[in-house]
Amino acid sequence: MNYTLNQLQIFLKIVQTQSVTKASEELHLTQPAVSIQLRNFQDQFDIPLTEVIGRKIYITDFGREIAKAAEVIIQQVHAINYKTMAYKGQLTGRLKISVVSTGKYVMPYFLSQFMQQHPGIELEMDVTNKQKVIESLENNEVDFALVSILPKNLSIEKLDLLQNKLFLVGNPYKPVENKENVKDFFESLPLIFREKGSGTRQTMEKFINQNHISVLKKMELTSNEAVKQALLAGLGFSIMPLIGIRNELRNNELQIIPMKGLPIKTDWSLIWLKEKKHSPVSEAFLQFLQKQKESIAHETFSWYEKY
């Protein structure tokens, strides 16, 4: 046996995601690189770890046992790294954050300086839709979550980081008929929605319901990037967070369409369970944000103020 730590990590991620493609995305590796490492790892065993039926990969019972052992080994390696850093007097441990998909344009900027100050900290940031973010928080699987709509049935505490603004957005070359009545205007547009479970979708539907709008033409896409590409192609219009379309506005590839009742304003809030017992790492991050959030917002998002 001559397998490497890298091969153990790759195999464990494949088991967790049930997909070579998803594993490569989460590990920030190319799919061929992951496939090669999986093959090299499997070649060291006489019993198959996986089997492929059609285009889907399945983990064998033996493969699952190996994955359990791999997880223990990786945890021990992390423990060695933590103890080494701690011996040097550095803050060590993991910081786990779940972020709604559009929050990927926000959260990294509030993490960068903190992570540079504490190289012994390992970051796990899961980017997904609002429903899954809240589930991970409720199950106490993460230290914090970043949302733009606060959960109603969960006892939480919060720290507001940045205002969230949502505008009606479309292709600048697609003609729009001017109508003073908001209801008439929207009912004439092909609208593009995010998937169910998305916070942006929830905000958009709330606006539509409040204005008693009947949506006749609509399209549903599963990511903010997919919606943006559809808008760029002229497939329709959508209510989108300003944070994700800075470059497209600057390059005149998208336009904001002035409309009564818009923009919708919420806050990007870091939230955590009210009874949460913070680790030294998460407590240090919270203290860092309380001191630095305003300067980070001003330095990084000053462009935001002109809209």
Side-chain angles (χ1 to χ4, degrees):
M1 293 291 178
N2 194 30
Y3 45 77
T4 65
L5 178 61
N6 185 46
Q7 288 173 344
L8 291 175
Q9 291 172 322
I10 287 173
F11 179 65
L12 182 59
K13 184 61 68 175
I14 290 170
V15 172
Q16 291 170 343
T17 61
Q18 300 288 301
S19 166
V20 171
T21 301
K22 290 180 180 177
S24 64
E25 290 174 353
E26 293 193 16
L27 292 169
H28 305 290
L29 297 171
T30 64
Q31 187 172 332
V34 171
S35 296
I36 290 170
Q37 289 301 320
L38 174 62
R39 184 173 63 250
N40 292 341
F41 184 61
Q42 290 192 113
D43 287 346
Q44 300 181 66
F45 298 90
D46 295 329
I47 305 171
L49 303 178
T50 66
E51 57 181 348
V52 178
I53 301 176
R55 293 186 177 181
K56 185 170 176 59
I57 190 169
Y58 294 88
I59 313 301
T60 65
D61 290 341
F62 178 66
R64 293 191 181 280
E65 291 300 317
I66 296 300
K68 289 178 184 178
E71 187 170 17
V72 172
I73 293 170
I74 292 168
Q75 288 173 348
Q76 291 300 316
V77 171
H78 286 315
I80 292 171
N81 292 338
Y82 294 156
K83 288 178 182 178
T84 303
M85 292 290 186
Y87 193 78
K88 294 179 179 178
Q90 297 181 18
L91 186 64
T92 63
R94 291 188 185 184
L95 180 62
K96 298 182 179 181
I97 304 177
S98 189
V99 178
V100 294
S101 56
T102 312
K104 66 178 177 282
Y105 301 109
V106 178
M107 198 70 242
Y109 296 100
F110 289 92
L111 281 161
S112 178
Q113 186 180 341
F114 179 76
M115 296 300 294
Q116 290 173 18
Q117 291 175 359
H118 303 287
I121 293 175
E122 294 185 15
L123 172 67
E124 291 184 14
M125 189 172 79
D126 181 36
V127 180
T128 184
N129 67 30
K130 184 198 170 194
Q131 183 177 335
K132 292 180 180 179
V133 166
I134 299 304
E135 285 176 2
S136 64
L137 186 69
E138 190 172 12
N139 294 332
N140 201 29
E141 296 170 352
V142 295
D143 299 305
F144 302 105
L146 182 73
V147 296
S148 59
I149 301 175
L150 298 177
K152 294 180 179 178
N153 301 316
L154 200 60
S155 182
I156 60 163
E157 294 187 55
K158 72 182 180 79
L159 181 66
D160 295 336
L161 301 182
L162 185 72
Q163 189 177 71
N164 184 33
K165 303 176 185 178
L166 296 98
F167 292 86
L168 178 64
V169 181
N171 186 309
Y173 304 107
K174 191 172 180 66
V176 178
E177 183 181 349
N178 291 323
K179 292 187 178 180
E180 294 184 3
N181 186 287
V182 173
K183 184 174 184 295
D184 291 342
F185 183 88
F186 271 89
E187 289 180 353
S188 68
L189 294 181
L191 291 179
I192 302 174
F193 288 74
R194 282 286 307 278
E195 79 285 3
K196 291 181 180 179
S198 158
T200 301
R201 163 85 171 243
Q202 186 177 339
T203 301
M204 188 170 173
E205 287 182 336
K206 183 178 179 181
F207 175 83
I208 286 170
N209 292 334
Q210 287 175 341
N211 287 277
H212 308 290
I213 298 168
S214 299
V215 178
L216 300 178
K217 306 173 185 177
K218 72 175 182 179
M219 183 185 307
E220 184 175 303
L221 300 175
T222 57
S223 74
N224 192 67
E225 285 301 314
V227 172
K228 191 193 306 185
Q229 292 303 316
L231 296 180
L232 290 169
L235 289 176
F237 300 81
S238 189
I239 294 178
M240 293 194 70
L242 174 64
I243 198 74
I245 55 174
R246 178 187 184 183
N247 291 336
E248 288 74 18
L249 292 174
R250 179 186 290 172
N251 297 332
N252 296 316
E253 296 172 323
L254 292 176
Q255 67 169 329
I256 289 175
I257 302 166
M259 178 59 52
K260 182 180 179 182
L262 296 175
I264 301 167
K265 296 180 180 179
T266 61
D267 288 299
W268 289 109
S269 301
L270 195 73
I271 63 174
W272 60 95
L273 294 176
K274 198 164 189 178
E275 305 276 326
K276 178 73 176 176
K277 293 182 180 179
H278 288 293
S279 68
V281 169
S282 61
E283 182 64 38
F285 181 55
L286 195 56
Q287 291 176 4
F288 166 81
L289 286 180
Q290 288 169 339
K291 293 178 181 177
Q292 301 295 333
K293 69 183 184 89
E294 290 184 7
S295 62
I296 294 171
H298 177 72
E299 292 170 10
T300 309
F301 300 100
S302 56
W303 64 272
Y304 215 64
E305 300 304 320
K306 71 176 184 179
Y307 293 96

